[in-house]
Structures are given as C-alpha cells and as structure tokens.
Amino acid sequence: MQQLAIFDLDNTLVDRQGPLTAWISAFSERHALTDLARTHLFDAMRDRASLETFEAFCAEHKLAPTAEALWLDYSRHMARSVSCPAGVLDGLSRLRGAGWKVAVATNGGTEIQTAKATASGIVDHVDVVCISEAVGARKPETVIFEKAAAACGADLALGGWMVGDGVDTDIRGGRAAGLHTIWISGGRTWPSGDVQPDHVTTDVRQAIDLLLTTVG
Ligand SMILES: [Mg+2]
C-alpha cells in the first residue's frame, strides 16, 4: 500500500476543545450570559464555528458587539491558543523521513484553519494542509481526500491511511474514500454500526507510532 497518511486537524493534531471552552467562558462572563445561553453557544460552536454562527447568536441574544468583531476576536484567540505537542510534530517529521506523504484534511474556514496550522507549526511538518473552504469539498466527501492526496503527489486510488477523531467525517468518510483508518478515541467508545475503524488509539501520537512501526 502507498505510504500516504492524512490527518484531521481539530482535536486530532491540535486540541480545539480547550481553547474553545476558555474563549466561551471569558466571553460569557464579559457579556453576563445566562447558563442557558452559554450552553447554546457551546452547542453551536462544538464542531465548528464561522461568522454565521456569531450572526445567529448575536441576533438571538441582542448582543452589542457585531458578529464580525466577535468572529475576529475568536479567530485570533484560537490562532494564539492552539498548539501541537512537540512529540506529535516530531512524529510527523519521522513519518516524512520514512518516506510517507503526509497531509492534513480539515473542515473549516481557510483563514482560521491556516492560522491554526501555521501557529502550531504543523505546516512545517506536513506536505500539505487541505482546507474544505479552499477546495470546495468537506469531509466526509471523497473529493477532499482525493485533493489532499493529489496535493502531496499521491494517488487516492492507491490507498493510504486516514487518522482522525471524527466518526463520520474522518472514519466513515475515509473508509468510503478507500482509505484504512485510525480513530482517535480520546477515551470514547466506538459507536456500534456498519463501519469499524481498522485501529483505535487514544491519541495521535500512538497513531503515528502505529503507522511507523506496524503498518509502514
Ligand atoms: Mg476533528
């Protein structure tokens, strides 16, 4: 099989949950949000956030700041706050050193995902960062996996691996695109259903070790 590894970004290579929770806490205090409004905001931003998320929230809760100002503040906070552990960056480099093509495929806005991948140092340790808004396709669509593979000189038809925490986006999507999969469980249990990941690891460091030592 071709040595191609495609990684998800949020909550796989970088922790999105921690910085997101911190931003919502500070924001909720600043605007004296009720517990219900705070929960509502967290639910709206759980998987991804965009300018439209803030437009809807500001309209419903009659907040003074504009949605644009909040989106900018949130984007800057996330770019400043996300980080990738040195051991993971090193693992990505070791994969490339061992001959793997390494891509990131992430759903989200071009500007914020690029800022996160750059600030965390990930761009310097992979062949390509493929962002849904930029390529016009979102996981689980096969097209985004095709584009990620092609952008690092690989051919999706020759197979490879998808590594991520998303059940539908990364694992079901990766499998449908013909890839083997490693699910980053973070301690969760795989939901029962038709598709099973090929491997389950607690974190991405273990997944990289698995690729380097077992299947590479
Ligand atoms: Mg994810």
Side-chain angles (χ1 to χ4, degrees), residues 60-123:
E60 186 172 345
H61 295 275
K62 312 271 186 292
L63 296 181
T66 63
E68 286 79 6
L70 292 180
W71 170 239
L72 191 64
D73 182 65
Y74 167 76
S75 300
R76 285 182 176 156
H77 165 82
M78 293 303 281
R80 256 196 329 263
S81 307
V82 298
S83 64
C84 183
V88 174
L89 293 176
D90 179 60
L92 295 172
S93 287
R94 283 192 292 135
L95 275 173
R96 291 175 80 198
W100 287 74
K101 299 286 188 191
V102 179
V104 173
T106 175
N107 285 349
T110 307
E111 202 174 333
I112 189 167
Q113 299 305 79
T114 300
K116 286 191 285 190
T118 304
S120 61
I122 287 168
V123 287

Side-chain angles (χ1 to χ4, degrees), residues 11-94:
N11 296 326
T12 293
L13 291 175
V14 302
D15 170 30
R16 174 177 182 268
Q17 207 67 11
L20 171 67
T21 303
W23 188 85
I24 290 178
S25 290
F27 174 79
S28 301
E29 275 188 27
R30 208 157 57 234
H31 296 281
L33 294 190
T34 63
D35 286 349
L36 188 63
R38 180 191 178 122
T39 303
H40 177 187
L41 183 60
F42 188 79
D43 287 344
M45 298 177 75
R46 186 188 304 274
D47 293 326
R48 71 180 291 248
S50 66
L51 175 59
E52 290 72 29
T53 312
F54 290 101
E55 284 172 345
F57 192 78
C58 287
E60 186 172 345
H61 295 275
K62 312 271 186 292
L63 296 181
T66 63
E68 286 79 6
L70 292 180
W71 170 239
L72 191 64
D73 182 65
Y74 167 76
S75 300
R76 285 182 176 156
H77 165 82
M78 293 303 281
R80 256 196 329 263
S81 307
V82 298
S83 64
C84 183
V88 174
L89 293 176
D90 179 60
L92 295 172
S93 287
R94 283 192 292 135

Side-chain angles (χ1 to χ4, degrees), residues 3-9 12-13 95 100-106 128 130 139 144-150 152 154 156 159-164 170 174 177 179-180 182 211:
Q3 285 187 312
L4 166 67
I6 305 176
F7 291 86
D8 168 51
L9 181 65
T12 293
L13 291 175
L95 275 173
W100 287 74
K101 299 286 188 191
V102 179
V104 173
T106 175
V128 68
C130 192
K139 295 178 292 182
I144 189 168
F145 300 106
E146 274 170 2
K147 295 205 178 212
C152 58
L156 188 68
W161 289 81
M162 177 65 206
V163 181
D170 299 321
L179 296 166
H180 285 73
I182 303 176
L211 293 176

